[in-house]
Amino acid sequence: MSALICGSLAFDSIMVFHDHFKNHILPEKIHMLNVSFLVPEMRREFGGCAGNIAYNLKLLGGNPQIMATCGADFAPYAAHLDKLEISRKHIRSVDDSFTAQAFITTDLSDNQITAFHPGAMNFSHFNHVDQASDITIGIVAPDGRNGMLQHAREFHAAGTPFIFDPGQGMPMFDGNDLMEFVALADYVTLNDYEAELLQNRTGKTLPELAQQVRALIVTCGELGSQIYTGGQIFDIPCARASAVLDPTGCGDAYRAGLLHGISNGMDWPTTGRLASLMGAIKIAHRGGQNHAPSQGEIKKLFKTEFGYELD
């Protein structure tokens, strides 16, 4: 069984400014801003929603297939995926383009200034779901606008169940677009802020939206998550983290847990708890792909946290 993960691949350049932005930005000069921050700390991480989800699904023993677009600078990421034994069969290289890149500068108050270059992500519609075979489940994660719409339609046409995960791509879509995604999808997953946006843009409540899919999942950070399904709401507790170092990629780790639970026929309380645990494991490490628990360790942590065995 394979999961087709449609979404972005990106390099994340993360820099730390050893001061506070507010000390160097004059409020009365915002209209003519010209500042430079010395950032002695910098690291480059492998990221993007598709890459992060695939990484976590692989940790769980799944068989992720990434469908994404990359640029001419992708070689280091390609080598990383090869080392992880994650297939690159459906990753398309776009000439004269960069792989998507995020440049994030954080100050000592955890304020962030981010510049994002979509690069090859804008050509995600070059890929088609029917190019992949033996797919049992999919996910449409943040990507190029046209690609997200196209892949959702293609999953639905093929009869392949999939998760709609708008994430940071939400601003690209109006209410009609979002209602189409919900109508096409089998599952929808959002964080609490995205859930508010979805309701505002569609004019529908979460229970109303949940009636149109098999399950609607809303994450609420340290408050846990809720799963709306079959007229019920399952409250999923937040798994305890050994440390809270970096939330980058926690949502993607959660979504890998959802994919694994759905693919393996787990009940919703167990699926949600596994997803929560994957997010907790991730948040204790910097970057989206630097945690590396074995499947045995994940099962042990699950039993310790929730009191029963993970099949």
Side-chain angles (χ1 to χ4, degrees), residues 249-270:
C250 286
D252 298 326
Y254 186 101
R255 282 142 182 77
L258 291 180
L259 284 168
H260 187 75
I262 294 168
S263 296
N264 288 278
M266 296 179 184
D267 60 44
W268 281 112
T270 299

Side-chain angles (χ1 to χ4, degrees), residues 80-277:
H80 172 68
L81 293 175
D82 289 346
K83 184 177 180 180
L84 296 171
E85 298 184 346
I86 294 176
S87 172
R88 293 192 282 117
K89 182 178 180 180
H90 304 298
I91 298 175
R92 179 188 295 267
S93 179
V94 180
D95 295 336
D96 300 321
S97 182
F98 289 106
T99 301
Q101 320 240 350
F103 301 91
I104 306 165
T105 303
T106 303
D107 73 0
L108 296 181
S109 296
D110 287 331
N111 296 306
Q112 289 187 333
I113 297 175
T114 300
F116 183 75
H117 173 66
M121 196 176 80
N122 285 332
F123 302 95
S124 59
H125 55 283
F126 285 6
N127 290 323
H128 295 278
V129 166
D130 63 7
Q131 294 167 344
S133 58
D134 300 320
I135 301 300
T136 56
I137 192 169
I139 184 169
V140 175
D143 207 349
R145 182 184 188 280
N146 292 339
M148 291 180 71
L149 285 165
Q150 175 178 290
H151 295 152
R153 292 164 181 163
E154 291 175 347
F155 272 128
H156 183 76
T160 303
F162 76 96
I163 298 172
F164 171 50
D165 171 25
Q168 63 265 39
M170 180 79 80
M172 297 187 293
F173 305 107
D174 62 21
N176 290 331
D177 294 329
L178 293 168
M179 284 305 301
E180 180 182 359
F181 277 118
V182 173
L184 294 171
D186 297 84
Y187 313 95
V188 174
T189 183
L190 315 137
N191 65 28
D192 47 359
Y193 180 74
E194 293 156 4
E196 288 295 327
L197 283 177
L198 182 63
Q199 292 176 93
N200 289 340
R201 294 192 177 183
T202 63
K204 302 287 186 180
T205 65
L206 291 180
E208 288 172 336
L209 292 164
Q211 290 177 2
Q212 300 187 48
V213 292
R214 298 188 197 180
L216 185 148
I217 303 98
V218 180
T219 61
C220 304
E222 63 184 12
L223 299 179
S225 52
Q226 291 187 314
I227 300 177
Y228 296 72
T229 181
Q232 295 179 281
I233 302 176
F234 293 102
D235 291 311
I236 307 299
C238 182
R240 291 169 295 179
S242 61
V244 179
L245 294 182
D246 181 8
T248 305
C250 286
D252 298 326
Y254 186 101
R255 282 142 182 77
L258 291 180
L259 284 168
H260 187 75
I262 294 168
S263 296
N264 288 278
M266 296 179 184
D267 60 44
W268 281 112
T270 299
T271 296
R273 282 165 170 78
L274 175 60
S276 177
L277 178 63

Side-chain angles (χ1 to χ4, degrees), residues 4 18 29 44 49 62-63 88 93 115 141 179 191 194 207 213 225 276 300-302 307 311:
L4 187 63
H18 289 181
K29 299 294 184 182
R44 197 183 197 204
C49 294
N63 181 30
R88 293 192 282 117
S93 179
M179 284 305 301
N191 65 28
E194 293 156 4
V213 292
S225 52
S276 177
K300 183 177 179 180
L301 286 169
F302 186 94
D311 293 332

